[in-house]
Amino acid sequence: MTIEVSKVVATDAALELIEIVKAKHGPVMFHQSGGCCDGSSPMCYAQGEFLIGDSDAWLGDIGGAPFYMSKSQYDYWKNTMLIIDVVPGRGGMFSLEGPEGRRFLTRSRMFSDEERRVLGL
C-alpha cells in the first residue's frame, strides 16, 4: 500500500482564513519568509504579486493556493512537514491577512521513515 505525503498542509483555521483572504483579494499564493522583515512567517500575497524564480521550490498547494520556499531554506526543512496554522495577532506587514486580526504561522513535524521513503529523502 502506498501512502500519499504532502510537504505542506493547512489546519482548518488556516483554510478558513485563506478563503476570507481570497474573497477579498482573489487568487493568492504563499512564500515562506526566510527571516527578513517579517521573521519566518508564511507570507500570503495576491498571485503574481511576489515573483517566484529558479531559486524557489514549490512545496504544494493549501486551500487552492500554491506554497513556495527558497530552495536553500528548503534544504534545511526538507525532513519536516510544514503545517500552516493561524494564531491571533497581526500578520507580516506585507502579508494579506494582516487586517484580519489573525496571522498565519508555520508549525512543523518530522516526517516518519515511511514518509521520507515516499518522498525520496
Side-chain angles (χ1 to χ4, degrees):
M1 174 156 117
T2 302
I3 63 170
E4 218 175 287
V5 182
S6 297
K7 295 177 183 176
V8 62
V9 298
T11 64
D12 289 342
L15 293 172
E16 175 188 314
L17 186 53
I18 291 168
E19 289 306 313
I20 290 168
V21 172
K22 285 176 17 181
K24 292 182 178 182
H25 301 280
V28 298
M29 57 154 309
F30 286 86
H31 193 278
Q32 177 67 40
S33 174
C36 181
C37 304
D38 292 304
S40 58
S41 300
M43 303 296 288
C44 182
Y45 301 99
Q47 276 194 14
E49 199 171 275
F50 185 91
L51 297 179
I52 299 300
D54 291 340
S55 63
D56 294 299
W58 172 74
L59 302 185
D61 290 348
I62 55 171
F67 194 100
Y68 298 90
M69 173 185 279
S70 74
K71 287 180 181 175
S72 60
Q73 186 178 10
Y74 176 69
D75 283 343
Y76 291 105
W77 291 48
K78 67 183 175 188
N79 294 307
T80 62
M81 175 184 287
L82 301 184
I83 304 161
I84 308 308
D85 201 0
V86 172
V87 294
R90 285 194 49 83
M93 63 188 201
F94 302 115
S95 195
L96 293 176
E97 83 280 6
E100 302 303 322
R102 297 177 284 170
R103 66 181 182 90
F104 293 109
L105 174 78
T106 302
R107 301 181 191 280
S108 64
R109 72 161 177 81
M110 296 296 290
F111 286 122
S112 68
D113 289 342
E114 176 67 8
E115 290 169 326
R116 288 174 39 82
R117 187 189 61 72
V118 169
L119 291 170
L121 298 174

